[in-house]
Amino acid sequence: MGDQFEKGQQALLNEGEENEMEIFGYRTQSCRKILYLAGSIFSFGILPLVFYWRPAWHVWANCIPCSLQEADVVLLRTTDEFQTYSWKKVVWIYLSALNSTFPLTPNHPLISDEEYIINRAIRKPDLKVRCIKVQKIRYVWNNLEGQFQKIGSLEDWLSSAKIHLKFGSGLTTEEQEIRRLICGPNTIDVEITPIWKLLIKEVLNPFYIFQLFSVCLWFSEDYKEYAFAIIIMSIISIALTVYDLREQSVKLHRLVESHNSITVSVFGRKAGVQELESRFLVPGDLLILTGNKVQMPCDAVLIDGSCVVDEGMLTGESIPVTKTPLPKMDGSVPWKTQSEADYKRHVLFCGTEVIQAKVACSGTVKAVVLQTGFNTAKGDLVRSILYPKPMNFKLYRDAIRFLLCLVGTATIGMIYTLCVFVLSGEPPEEVVKKALDVITIAVPPALPAALTTGIIYAQRRLKKRGIFCISPQRINVCGQLNLVCFDKTGTLTRDGLDLWGVVPCDGNGFQEVHSFASGRALPWGPLCAAMASCHSLILLDGTIQGDPLDLKMFEATSWEMAISGDNFHIKGLPAYAMVVKPCKTVSQVPVEGIAILHQFPFSSALQRMTVIVQEMGGDRLAFMKGAPERVASFCQPETIPTSFVSELQIYTTQGFRVIGLAYKKLEMDHHTTALMRDQVESDLIFLGLLILENRLKEETKPVLEELISARIRTVMITGDNLQTAITVARKSGMVSENQKVILIEANETPGSSSASVSWKLVEEKKHMAYRNQQDNYINIREDISDNSREGSYHFALSGKSFQVISQHFSSLLPKILINGTIFARMSPGQKSSLVEEFQKLDYFVGMCGDGANDCGALKMAHVGISLSEQEASVASPFTSKTPNIECVPHLIKEGRAALVTSFCMFKYMALYSMIQYIGVLLLYWETNSLSNYQFLFQDLAITTLIGVTMNLNGAYPKLVPFRPAGRLISPPLLLSVIFNILLSLAMHIVGFILVQRQPWYSMEMHSACTMRNETISKLTVSPTAPEKNGSNSDFPSFENTTIWFLGTINCIIVALVFSKGKPFRQPTYRNYIFVLVLAIQLGVCLFILFADFPDLYRRLDLLCTPALWRVYIIIMLSSNFIVSLIVEEAIIENRALWMIIKRCFGYQSKSQYRVWQRALADDPSWPPINQTSYSDMPRCGRGVSYSNPVFESNEEQL
């Protein structure tokens, strides 16, 4: 139902975005509503409960399909593989509510202009707006385009000229009121969920409903003790969950609370400057930024003046960022795409802190509100926490299938019970109780609680190691990781850079290296001026703050920083400009200082920054610094030394971070802010190279070696230079000494839609003094040795090449990713794309980064580990307090241990329920059963204690080169469960039949103990069977006693057999509490078996049996234990045997990356070294299909 849609009933919401959904229109029908109410009453609330679990059924039952334009209810379905349904009511917003403020007519000029979505949404002449609210975002019905559209943002198509013209002088009060009503308040409102709501939501979980049914049934049978025990366990479980959810809710509320109550200055077109509460802001408002240390309450685009902002909340990096005003450009190009630079350098993001607002010529710093509420960057971050990506780990789907199998088994048992008890003439209510009992026996109500304990213990162990987890379910996923991506700077290498030296250049080429270690000052010249002024440092409360790289560079000059005073006037210079001056100790500097007039800030997309400066009493200059290759491309060719490529290579191959510097003189008559970036960044003179040292963290190499030895792939994704990345990969052991690196370069052909991709072997530099002039800045080997084709190679490529290959050579992409290890100059968006591409190849991907620009990749990966404690890390499931990658193997070990623990618990709970099920069904044959105290002993004293302590095994300290099975329905696990069920069945049947054949079985009394001194011949005199008193309420019987002892001790045996130790968990004997519990349980059971305490036997409804029979019971149990243990160790856990079986049956992994590995191993032409391929058509090779089963892998891995 719901797949046949009439025209206009279905549409896409947020098309192409991460939260894309399908939306369907429905109209409520009165007669259906009445039928639903009647059904709810007659079903005693079961129908609304089912509809609560299945929202789509609720809509289909109450409504009829219609077009979205007429709908009063919309059904939403996510477009991912989960296809999650939800429904929302369509509400009306009436503009007549504004009549008290100002009269509004359909022809009013404010709403007649249909250029903006907000006006297209107003239905005329009745002046009302249809709207829905989905995941905190408001959508309005666009009457012109006939679709629901997001509201609360400025339109993306607006050009910069339009923004300056329309919003540059503010909105009128009337416009503000209309926008306020339609867009809603500018608040990121995360209400603290009331405890009663959390409680109801938790209690209505299907599992707790089943527990409620079990408890009611047990109370009716007077099985109070275990019912109370389950109630207490459930209350504790619910209380802990509710407490946890409540704590998260409070934490999130506090995180966003401060944003909602900020007072801001807004400039109105007629009203002038007004002080407003930030919740009244609307998209298009003109903000006036004054003073320092201001929290941004919304996203805004800067149109006048500049700002220094701390974006730590968003990026995880507390480095001040300079924001520049949006230039006023002619044309109708959307403002975000009007220049090649990143548009974000003009945007002040919500939640960030404006450290300093620098006024321009107009005397004020102005910004236009771009997005409000949950549409903002901070709102998006909060929504990603409120509505996380659902988990689709196969373990959880298998768990549901497993439970369904148990339900199927219970159904068979119910039919059997009905037949047996009806034929024996039992009263109907007893028959129903006994039949329902079978369900609670076959499906253990304690199963989910037992599974959760393992994850809770793992979480606690991780917390001790300083690893915090906001998504505990992902701990199991950690156990399946087989590829980990690492950011370089701050993750593999140290955060701080040390300035090693500069290599100045003149017309003749590079000069001698000037080393700062010697303590000599850098002689005065343009290079010194560039180092002193080409940065984005700021002076705050007397201390210099900014990017660590800029800070090291500036400190090396021994200059100082100051703010210009009122007496400092230069044409085009804003008041209170930043001025750098030489210290008193620095001699022979002919200038008083340098004033920084204008900045074009650094952006990772452009890989450069530029400043315009004024020498006091001297020239006006422009300085540029950035990636050397990028800087050189803006310089006059004759100023670049001929040895540029080889000189650069000398330093990058040693792992140094290299920065290029260049400058030019500017005309004095230009107004600095009027100069366009492309005018300034042309015909520069190359100055030299700045060499910085970026050392590996001590922990990096051993951790990477540990991961590689465990056959876990390691990949580097960095924004740094490609050669530096290759060197760091070699130094860290990611690429070993005997492995080759193949450089892949892909370029789009200018002016056409074709592209080329070339493959070159990178030669490792041995000697620093070696100079070689080549076209490419990475040394390339022409000769190819055969061993480069033997799989011992790694691909290295840049973000640009990755982009071109994705677009033009998509059929090559999976082949490259199979051996792609080094990805350099990657933008944040490309990092996320790469992680997703790896997931498409069925890899379980971990991402470890310092949070700075890895947020997207951390969220995209199966397991994201942030090494930053900034707020941005809340988007990552795991956060490590120790800022190095040692947390990665710890997390994988704990994940593997948690996964194995889950399997042990599943197997144990399945066996426990089946042992009880077999025993009860055998006793039902005699219209007998286990008594309440017998059930209680098994359920509470045995299973509950085992369930709590079996999970206490810690992770094994060594990572082995294979992973635990990722699925419950895997042959070894199924075989283990089925074999042990059959073994238990055989033992119970043997015990059941043998006890009836014993010579003392036919005694009239209920005990064979009193006659133990008599001879067997005397015992066999009476042929009558034991008396049943005509009722099965008298539990004691020899069958009951035998079955109970066999079942109870078998539960202990199974726990011992199934409790796995090495290679993923600590050995069982190290789990002291568990061993102690088993020893005590076994001791108590043997005591009960061999002790002759009539009162104890009477309480447990047991009969006394001859000592020989008790020995027989021990023999049966011992045989069961020995056979089970041998099969488990010799067959089930014998990995070598399963590998042989796989080879015999020709089984091969179906994981995409395994398929590609096999295909490439058989391809003699791969990898294509020293070759170039061309694509004549754009997007060639799009026919390649590979699925993206996120959180899945069919692999039975090595």
Side-chain angles (χ1 to χ4, degrees):
M1 190 172 180
D3 285 338
Q4 303 300 316
F5 307 112
E6 59 177 69
K7 197 182 174 193
Q9 193 217 341
Q10 182 191 15
L12 274 177
L13 209 59
N14 308 322
E15 193 168 356
E17 291 178 40
E18 199 180 344
N19 56 341
E20 184 183 81
M21 290 181 181
E22 284 177 288
I23 180 168
F24 309 101
Y26 285 88
R27 191 171 60 247
T28 311
Q29 206 176 33
S30 305
C31 60
R32 286 184 175 223
K33 194 97 180 162
I34 292 161
L35 281 170
Y36 165 68
L37 287 169
S40 302
I41 294 161
F42 290 121
S43 66
F44 301 104
I46 291 171
L47 191 64
L49 188 65
V50 171
F51 285 173
Y52 169 77
W53 293 332
R54 290 271 179 265
W57 295 3
H58 182 276
V59 174
W60 295 334
N62 285 282
C63 312
I64 54 166
C66 68
S67 69
L68 283 165
Q69 195 161 359
E70 301 164 335
D72 61 358
V73 168
V74 291
L75 183 63
L76 300 148
R77 182 172 69 190
T78 57
T79 53
D80 54 21
E81 71 264 39
F82 310 105
Q83 303 253 308
T84 313
Y85 281 99
S86 58
W87 62 274
K88 299 285 170 189
K89 277 192 173 177
V90 179
V91 294
W92 289 96
I93 299 170
Y94 295 93
L95 267 67
S96 55
L98 297 171
N99 281 344
S100 56
T101 319
F102 62 92
L104 201 60
T105 61
N107 302 320
H108 197 286
L110 280 183
I111 58 174
S112 57
D113 174 15
E114 294 207 333
E115 199 177 7
Y116 302 99
I117 293 172
I118 209 154
N119 291 346
R120 292 178 186 180
I122 300 168
R123 184 184 280 188
K124 303 174 184 77
D126 39 4
L127 301 180
K128 55 183 186 176
V129 177
R130 294 174 75 233
C131 121
I132 54 171
K133 198 173 179 182
V134 181
Q135 291 188 350
K136 302 281 184 187
I137 300 238
R138 199 177 272 199
Y139 298 83
V140 293
W141 179 256
N142 183 332
N143 294 299
L144 206 67
E145 293 178 26
Q147 61 179 13
F148 279 105
Q149 281 182 317
K150 204 182 280 187
I151 198 83
S153 309
L154 277 193
E155 287 79 0
D156 281 342
W157 52 261
L158 290 169
S159 65
S160 62
K162 195 99 180 167
I163 289 175
H164 279 271
L165 179 73
K166 168 79 178 155
F167 306 107
S169 51
L171 298 173
T172 62
T173 311
E174 290 86 354
E175 281 177 308
Q176 286 175 328
E177 289 293 342
I178 292 170
R179 284 171 179 254
R180 215 166 276 155
L181 186 67
I182 295 173
C183 298
N186 171 41
T187 53
I188 299 176
D189 204 13
V190 181
E191 64 280 352
I192 297 173
T193 319
I195 288 172
W196 66 267
K197 263 191 185 176
L198 291 170
L199 210 58
I200 288 171
K201 196 176 176 185
E202 192 62 23
V203 167
L204 292 181
N205 183 314
F207 156 64
Y208 287 118
I209 298 294
F210 173 65
Q211 278 205 338
L212 182 69
F213 157 75
S214 304
V215 165
C216 292
L217 181 66
W218 293 332
F219 272 120
S220 74
E221 295 181 330
D222 211 28
Y223 185 33
K224 296 191 195 80
E225 293 85 352
Y226 190 57
F228 279 125
I230 285 287
I231 289 170
I232 291 162
M233 281 162 66
S234 298
I235 288 170
I236 292 168
S237 174
I238 290 168
L240 286 172
T241 310
V242 168
Y243 173 76
D244 208 28
L245 290 169
R246 174 81 173 184
E247 282 291 289
Q248 281 183 22
S249 183
V250 170
K251 198 175 171 185
L252 203 53
H253 176 77
R254 285 182 187 148
L255 183 76
V256 298
E257 190 180 25
S258 57
H259 146 93
N260 297 327
S261 52
I262 299 167
T263 305
V264 288
S265 300
V266 176
F267 186 86
R269 190 170 292 174
K270 293 173 186 169
V273 180
Q274 290 176 298
E275 294 285 309
L276 266 186
E277 272 189 60
S278 60
R279 62 195 176 94
F280 294 118
L281 286 174
V282 292
D285 264 334
L286 187 65
L287 281 178
I288 306 292
L289 298 169
T290 53
N292 301 336
K293 300 260 181 182
V294 180
Q295 283 275 332
M296 281 302 294
C298 58
D299 287 357
V301 61
L302 203 57
I303 60 165
D304 206 351
S306 63
C307 288
V308 178
V309 183
D310 176 3
E311 292 192 337
M313 191 286 297
L314 287 180
T315 63
E317 206 165 32
S318 289
I319 291 171
V321 181
T322 304
K323 300 286 183 176
T324 57
L326 180 72
K328 195 173 179 177
M329 289 172 126
D330 297 328
S332 58
V333 182
W335 70 275
K336 285 185 181 179
T337 55
Q338 68 182 12
S339 69
E340 61 163 347
D342 190 356
Y343 73 88
K344 289 177 183 173
R345 67 202 174 104
H346 310 303
V347 180
L348 303 168
F349 292 105
C350 175
T352 61
E353 187 178 42
V354 177
I355 301 171
Q356 222 172 51
K358 300 178 186 173
V359 294
C361 305
S362 65
T364 52
V365 179
K366 297 176 188 169
V368 174
V369 176
L370 198 60
Q371 290 171 137
T372 57
F374 280 95
N375 293 291
T376 60
K378 184 168 183 176
D380 200 43
L381 184 68
V382 173
R383 284 191 335 111
S384 74
I385 301 164
L386 286 172
Y387 307 103
K389 190 176 174 182
M391 290 283 292
N392 189 17
F393 189 34
K394 277 200 170 171
L395 175 69
Y396 303 115
R397 277 190 295 165
D398 286 353
I400 290 163
R401 287 175 190 162
F402 168 80
L403 283 173
L404 289 174
C405 288
L406 291 181
V407 169
T409 311
T411 310
I412 296 164
M414 276 178 75
I415 296 163
Y416 162 85
T417 307
L418 288 168
C419 295
V420 168
F421 279 91
V422 167
L423 290 171
S424 64
E426 293 292 325
E429 65 273 11
E430 279 300 313
V431 175
V432 171
K433 277 185 194 175
K434 294 290 180 197
L436 291 176
D437 248 347
V438 175
I439 298 177
T440 63
I441 291 166
V443 184
L447 177 64
L451 286 175
T452 312
T453 51
I455 291 170
I456 290 168
Y457 293 148
Q459 198 176 355
R460 198 188 296 162
R461 286 193 294 267
L462 286 171
K463 203 170 182 178
K464 281 181 185 171
R465 291 188 179 272
I467 302 165
F468 297 91
C469 170
I470 60 163
S471 177
Q473 294 302 319
R474 289 198 190 227
I475 294 174
N476 275 336
V477 186
C478 295
Q480 285 291 291
L481 289 185
N482 54 1
L483 185 148
V484 185
C485 301
F486 294 96
D487 179 36
K488 182 180 79 69
T489 313
T491 304
L492 298 175
T493 59
R494 289 180 187 169
D495 254 332
L497 290 158
D498 299 311
L499 195 61
W500 187 80
V502 285
V503 189
C505 82
D506 55 19
N508 304 323
F510 286 106
Q511 298 171 8
E512 282 299 308
V513 177
H514 176 94
S515 172
F516 291 100
S518 61
R520 282 186 303 122
L522 187 68
W524 168 251
L527 184 61
C528 181
M531 287 175 64
S533 61
C534 191
H535 51 70
S536 56
L537 298 173
I538 61 158
L539 197 64
L540 193 66
D541 303 330
T543 59
I544 301 170
Q545 291 189 1
D547 190 293
L549 186 151
D550 286 353
L551 211 51
K552 289 279 182 191
M553 180 181 78
F554 181 70
E555 284 169 358
T557 61
S558 301
W559 282 40
E560 54 192 29
M561 196 178 269
I563 305 283
S564 62
D566 294 329
N567 59 347
F568 189 74
H569 294 293
I570 297 175
K571 185 187 174 190
L573 175 69
Y576 301 104
M578 193 64 71
V579 177
V580 288
K581 300 176 179 177
C583 289
K584 307 266 189 299
T585 53
V586 179
S587 55
Q588 300 170 336
V589 177
V591 293
E592 266 184 72
I594 300 170
I596 300 165
L597 308 186
H598 189 71
Q599 284 184 0
F600 297 105
F602 176 81
S603 96
S604 47
L606 298 178
Q607 299 173 5
R608 66 182 188 274
M609 79 166 287
T610 305
V611 292
I612 300 171
V613 302
Q614 173 78 52
E615 288 181 348
M616 290 187 191
D619 299 319
R620 183 164 293 180
L621 305 165
F623 290 110
M624 179 194 279
K625 89 168 193 294
E629 319 90 74
R630 204 85 183 97
V631 171
S633 68
F634 292 98
C635 294
Q636 299 166 17
E638 61 274 15
T639 67
I640 301 166
T642 50
S643 60
F644 172 76
V645 170
S646 58
E647 191 77 22
L648 179 60
Q649 191 187 353
I650 287 165
Y651 298 108
T652 53
T653 49
Q654 294 176 77
F656 287 115
R657 177 96 178 261
V658 184
I659 304 289
L661 295 162
Y663 88 112
K664 78 184 245 188
K665 288 186 180 177
L666 297 172
E667 299 293 322
M668 291 291 281
D669 54 353
H670 276 296
H671 199 289
T672 53
T673 50
L675 283 167
M676 300 305 289
R677 190 165 188 166
D678 52 358
Q679 290 174 273
V680 178
E681 295 177 337
S682 61
D683 296 325
L684 301 170
I685 297 162
F686 191 74
L687 283 173
L689 301 171
L690 190 68
I691 316 294
L692 297 115
E693 201 171 8
N694 191 200
R695 296 185 189 137
L696 279 180
K697 291 180 179 175
E698 292 94 22
E699 304 84 8
T700 298
K701 195 168 183 179
V703 167
L704 291 180
E705 282 172 353
E706 184 180 7
L707 292 175
I708 290 162
S709 67
R711 291 196 190 172
I712 293 167
R713 261 190 77 184
T714 55
V715 170
M716 187 195 297
I717 315 179
T718 176
D720 207 344
N721 170 293
L722 185 53
Q723 182 60 66
T724 306
I726 292 171
T727 308
V728 169
R730 285 200 184 278
K731 279 186 175 176
S732 63
M734 203 175 267
V735 175
S736 63
E737 287 175 17
N738 59 345
Q739 291 178 320
K740 305 288 179 222
V741 175
I742 298 167
L743 174 72
I744 301 174
E745 277 189 335
N747 296 293
E748 285 180 316
T749 313
S752 80
S753 58
S754 66
S756 66
V757 59
S758 60
W759 318 71
K760 298 165 188 170
L761 198 59
V762 179
E763 184 183 352
E764 198 177 343
K765 266 276 206 285
K766 297 290 180 196
H767 308 291
M768 185 176 167
Y770 178 68
R771 297 276 200 279
N772 183 18
Q773 288 158 37
Q774 291 198 343
D775 296 337
N776 199 300
Y777 71 95
I778 292 180
N779 199 23
I780 306 299
R781 276 175 68 124
E782 296 302 326
D783 60 307
I784 310 156
S785 58
D786 284 332
N787 68 350
S788 67
R789 297 188 184 277
E790 292 170 6
S792 59
Y793 60 89
H794 297 264
F795 291 130
L797 61 154
S798 67
K800 182 172 132 281
S801 298
F802 174 72
Q803 202 72 32
V804 173
I805 290 164
S806 300
Q807 286 176 345
H808 297 272
F809 300 93
S810 60
S811 59
L812 278 178
L813 191 60
K815 293 182 181 182
I816 291 166
L817 295 183
I818 294 300
N819 283 85
T821 302
I822 301 152
F823 297 85
R825 294 278 185 238
M826 298 286 278
S827 69
Q830 287 168 340
K831 287 185 178 185
S832 301
S833 302
L834 179 63
V835 167
E836 193 172 13
E837 291 300 330
F838 275 128
Q839 288 174 338
K840 287 178 183 176
L841 290 172
D842 293 348
Y843 279 112
F844 277 80
V845 184
M847 172 75 201
C848 182
D850 56 0
N853 50 5
D854 309 312
C855 262
L858 289 170
K859 277 169 67 180
M860 181 62 73
H862 294 125
V863 176
I865 311 152
S866 170
L867 303 183
S868 159
E869 285 189 61
Q870 291 285 341
E871 286 177 10
S873 69
V874 293
S876 172
F878 298 93
T879 306
S880 172
K881 268 204 166 172
T882 46
N884 62 54
I885 62 169
E886 276 185 332
C887 58
V888 176
H890 287 319
L891 206 49
I892 294 171
K893 287 170 197 168
E894 283 298 348
R896 288 179 172 187
L899 197 55
V900 171
T901 299
S902 295
F903 290 145
C904 290
M905 263 340 287
F906 262 113
K907 286 168 70 174
Y908 177 71
M909 294 308 271
L911 256 294
Y912 146 69
S913 59
M914 284 298 107
I915 287 166
Q916 232 180 41
Y917 176 79
I918 291 163
V920 167
L921 291 194
L922 282 171
L923 291 175
Y924 277 2
W925 186 256
E926 297 285 327
T927 62
N928 196 339
S929 182
L930 296 177
S931 73
N932 285 354
Y933 280 111
Q934 288 174 334
F935 271 127
L936 189 67
F937 190 89
Q938 282 187 357
D939 292 341
L940 207 56
I942 304 291
T943 305
T944 306
L945 286 176
I946 287 172
V948 171
T949 57
M950 193 180 189
N951 301 329
L952 286 168
N953 290 43
Y956 194 64
K958 188 179 182 298
L959 268 181
V960 290
F962 52 92
R963 301 175 292 162
R967 302 199 56 181
L968 259 182
I969 302 169
S970 62
L973 202 134
L974 282 179
L975 182 68
S976 173
V977 171
I978 292 164
F979 174 77
N980 277 285
I981 288 171
L982 293 175
L983 197 62
S984 296
L985 179 67
M987 182 180 72
H988 277 74
I989 290 171
V990 167
F992 187 77
I993 293 168
L994 272 183
V995 76
Q996 292 177 343
R997 300 218 173 148
Q998 293 307 307
W1000 41 262
Y1001 173 78
S1002 53
M1003 288 167 36
E1004 285 190 23
M1005 58 194 65
H1006 281 294
S1007 172
C1009 297
T1010 51
M1011 308 297 287
R1012 75 167 64 133
N1013 297 326
E1014 310 243 354
T1015 59
I1016 295 297
S1017 58
K1018 283 186 182 175
L1019 284 172
T1020 53
V1021 172
S1022 171
T1024 54
E1027 193 182 305
K1028 290 279 193 294
N1029 293 346
S1031 165
N1032 68 327
S1033 60
D1034 248 1
F1035 295 106
S1037 72
F1038 292 127
E1039 292 95 337
N1040 171 297
T1041 304
T1042 304
I1043 291 292
W1044 184 79
F1045 276 120
L1046 288 175
T1048 308
I1049 299 173
N1050 198 12
C1051 284
I1052 300 168
I1053 287 170
V1054 164
L1056 189 60
V1057 170
F1058 283 170
S1059 181
K1060 294 285 178 295
K1062 291 197 289 186
F1064 302 113
R1065 301 201 308 165
Q1066 293 275 16
T1068 306
Y1069 61 79
R1070 296 285 297 274
N1071 185 351
Y1072 306 120
I1073 299 172
F1074 176 63
V1075 172
L1076 185 67
V1077 163
L1078 286 191
I1080 292 169
Q1081 287 176 338
L1082 192 60
V1084 170
C1085 288
L1086 292 175
F1087 173 76
I1088 294 169
L1089 180 62
F1090 287 103
D1092 292 333
F1093 289 117
D1095 285 348
L1096 179 65
Y1097 272 47
R1098 201 177 306 113
R1099 180 57 60 93
L1100 284 171
D1101 294 300
L1102 297 172
L1103 289 186
C1104 204
T1105 56
L1108 188 63
W1109 180 246
R1110 302 179 205 191
V1111 173
Y1112 283 164
I1113 289 175
I1114 295 297
I1115 291 168
M1116 282 189 273
L1117 287 164
S1118 304
S1119 310
N1120 181 306
F1121 172 64
I1122 291 161
V1123 173
S1124 179
L1125 193 65
I1126 290 169
V1127 170
E1128 197 73 19
E1129 294 301 317
I1131 298 172
I1132 309 297
E1133 293 297 308
N1134 188 338
R1135 203 167 158 273
L1137 177 69
W1138 286 102
M1139 298 306 290
I1140 293 164
I1141 292 167
K1142 279 184 192 178
R1143 276 197 288 274
C1144 291
F1145 285 95
Y1147 172 83
Q1148 289 185 318
S1149 168
K1150 296 180 187 70
S1151 290
Q1152 286 294 325
Y1153 74 92
R1154 290 284 190 205
V1155 173
W1156 280 107
Q1157 279 172 346
R1158 290 195 293 270
L1160 295 178
D1162 298 337
D1163 186 352
S1165 63
W1166 189 264
I1169 302 168
N1170 290 345
Q1171 291 180 25
T1172 304
S1173 315
Y1174 296 91
S1175 83
D1176 299 323
M1177 294 161 60
R1179 302 185 174 274
C1180 78
R1182 283 278 164 205
V1184 177
S1185 71
Y1186 42 95
S1187 61
N1188 180 13
V1190 178
F1191 297 115
E1192 291 185 18
S1193 168
N1194 293 327
E1195 184 185 15
E1196 294 295 331
Q1197 54 291 328
L1198 280 166

